[in-house]
Amino acid sequence: MGEVVLKQVRKAFGETTIIHGVDIEVNKGEFVVFVGPSGCGKSTLLRLIAGLEEISSGDMYVAGQRVNDTPASQRGIAMVFQSYALYPHMTVEENMGFSLKLAKCGKNEIKSRVAEAARILQIEHLLDRKPKDLSGGQRQRVAIGRAIVRKPAVFLFDEPLSNLDASLRVQMRIELSRLHDDLGATMIYVTHDQVEAMTLADRIVVLNGGRVEQVGAPLDLYHYPDNLFVATFIGSPKMNLIEGKLLRGDAGSATVRLPSGDEIPLTVDASGARVGSRVTIGIRPEHMVTGPSDTFGTIRGQVLVIERLGDSTLAHVQGEACGGDNLIVRLPGDSGVNEGDMLEIGLPPTCCHLFNSDGRSYRRCQVEMERSLVPEVASG
């Protein structure tokens, strides 16, 4: 059994159900990230694990013990909140050791644990300061240190970086990853930022409307989304979607007709798919190519907006074959494409996804996508 196990966990406030029968298993030493849009239930789920909210039904286990009725203080869990919640009148050392003082630990043990946590977080020089004398990143380290000194079985993080500026968030992501490696601890992290999820997690749990949409390693979710929600939520910019009608489908391939009448071949397992049904093609911006091709389907569109990011250029294209929907194409940073240009865009069959009318994915046939199969993106 994993370090944290949820079996058909449900949470309702009155007649309103927030968490709908969630099953999750977090292994010992794993870094798992709950990600999803605002209101999807990820913070509520974290509070249920912490014991700050009671579950309405189901079972929850921590370190092999059923904890449905176990008080939060006895679950062996430490939580780091979005707000630092530091005591302003206490020093850093006093803040970090306060929970140990409440637990009646000896002064020498408290001092030793605080010193060790400060060493790990590289804040030894801050121990005599008050919170008002610290930066946002330093305050967050103190909040994390307060959790470390308790030596919990599980660390819980509730959007701990959302109050930091962009550059500091990147730095803190690196430090959290290093901290996980150093401690070898089980960590569950909640965020709405899919970049944080992709860079930190061993596995990601994608939540939507209080339900688990998909669980998997970051690149598995990126390359093999189970449904349209995961496909468009994971990845920035999001996956392009093109509506069409299924002309043919079998165990190795499918053909889709676009609104323009163009036919696009795909390499997916479409066995059992209903011919004539409405489907959606999905393709990542970096997998689209420019220029004519004899080996895969192409569509034409006009460039509406250009975003020059330095390392790459994003072209927002109004696809003539896509019912007027806009597509995003990632081009090289020095691309000569300009607003108003017409582009011919290729859709490599091995890079395309296919979703049925319910938004479920027909799995791509190849186990792992080989970038060598994708032609080089033209500069335009």
Side-chain angles (χ1 to χ4, degrees):
M1 179 178 287
E3 190 77 349
V4 178
V5 178
L6 281 64
K7 295 184 177 181
Q8 281 298 296
V9 167
R10 178 180 170 275
K11 176 63 180 177
F13 294 96
E15 296 184 358
T16 303
T17 301
I18 305 299
I19 302 296
H20 302 264
V22 165
D23 292 294
I24 297 172
E25 182 168 339
V26 179
N27 299 317
K28 187 172 183 178
E30 195 172 25
F31 198 133
V32 169
V33 176
F34 295 169
V35 69
S38 297
C40 71
K42 54 189 182 294
S43 289
T44 299
L45 198 56
L46 202 72
R47 291 175 64 84
L48 292 174
I49 295 171
L52 302 178
E53 300 279 359
E54 293 184 3
I55 66 175
S56 301
S57 63
D59 293 295
M60 188 178 301
Y61 300 84
V62 176
Q65 302 297 314
R66 187 174 182 272
V67 296
N68 286 37
D69 303 313
T70 303
S73 60
Q74 299 175 23
R75 293 191 179 192
I77 286 173
M79 189 163 180
V80 179
F81 296 91
Q82 179 178 348
S83 60
Y84 314 124
L86 302 178
Y87 296 108
H89 63 288
M90 293 183 182
T91 65
V92 167
E93 184 173 14
E94 290 167 340
N95 266 285
M96 290 172 63
F98 188 65
S99 63
L100 300 179
K101 184 177 179 181
L102 291 179
K104 309 290 187 189
C105 292
K107 289 184 179 180
N108 290 338
E109 183 180 2
I110 294 175
K111 194 170 189 66
S112 174
R113 287 203 200 180
V114 169
E116 176 63 12
R119 183 193 63 79
I120 292 171
L121 295 167
Q122 301 177 6
I123 55 173
E124 299 102 319
H125 61 293
L126 303 177
L127 291 176
D128 293 330
R129 296 189 189 180
K130 298 284 183 67
K132 65 182 177 64
D133 300 319
L134 305 177
S135 68
Q138 290 170 336
R139 292 177 189 177
Q140 191 57 271
R141 288 187 188 91
V142 175
I144 295 170
R146 188 171 51 189
I148 290 175
V149 298
R150 295 178 55 191
K151 296 184 177 179
V154 180
F155 287 85
L156 305 181
F157 296 89
D158 190 6
E159 303 202 48
L161 308 186
S162 59
N163 290 333
L164 305 179
D165 61 53
S167 62
L168 193 51
R169 282 202 302 272
V170 173
Q171 179 184 341
M172 286 301 297
R173 285 205 308 265
I174 295 170
E175 293 189 10
L176 279 172
S177 182
R178 179 184 58 79
L179 179 65
H180 175 251
D181 291 340
D182 289 346
L183 297 178
T186 305
M187 295 184 174
I188 302 176
Y189 186 103
V190 158
T191 183
H192 64 276
D193 185 341
Q194 58 94 17
V195 174
E196 283 184 17
M198 293 289 288
T199 54
L200 284 171
D202 294 322
R203 283 191 303 147
I204 296 174
V205 178
V206 182
L207 293 161
N208 182 32
R211 293 180 171 86
V212 175
E213 294 284 352
Q214 189 173 353
V215 180
L219 290 181
D220 285 342
L221 269 58
Y222 187 82
H223 290 307
Y224 305 103
D226 281 347
N227 53 56
L228 279 171
F229 178 82
V230 176
T232 53
F233 190 83
I234 298 295
S236 180
K238 69 179 184 179
M239 181 181 289
N240 292 300
L241 302 179
I242 305 170
E243 300 292 328
K245 180 183 291 187
L246 186 68
L247 294 184
R248 182 185 60 80
D250 56 36
S253 62
T255 303
V256 176
R257 176 178 291 159
L258 303 183
S260 64
D262 293 305
E263 296 183 5
I264 303 295
L266 310 175
T267 306
V268 297
D269 182 359
S271 54
R274 184 166 57 87
V275 172
S277 62
R278 182 177 63 84
V279 293
T280 302
I281 297 173
I283 185 167
R284 300 283 180 192
E286 64 271 24
H287 296 154
M288 306 178 85
V289 298
T290 56
S293 173
D294 296 329
T295 59
F296 45 78
T298 59
I299 56 179
R300 284 177 55 81
Q302 184 177 32
V303 178
L304 301 179
V305 177
I306 288 289
E307 294 182 88
R308 301 197 184 277
L309 306 179
D311 63 328
S312 63
T313 295
L314 299 181
H316 295 253
V317 179
Q318 186 174 43
E320 294 177 343
C322 310
D325 291 340
N326 290 348
L327 306 174
I328 300 177
V329 183
R330 190 185 293 274
L331 301 169
D334 58 355
S335 170
V337 170
N338 294 302
E339 294 177 7
D341 289 352
M342 294 298 297
L343 284 183
E344 192 160 7
I345 303 167
L347 310 180
T350 56
C351 296
C352 289
H353 304 256
L354 186 64
F355 304 89
N356 66 17
S357 57
D358 295 325
R360 306 302 299 178
S361 175
Y362 295 107
R363 301 295 283 183
R364 290 191 301 170
C365 293
Q366 57 193 132
V367 176
E368 182 176 339
M369 181 173 56
E370 296 289 346
R371 287 289 292 164
S372 61
L373 297 179
V374 183
E376 289 296 323
V377 178
S379 63

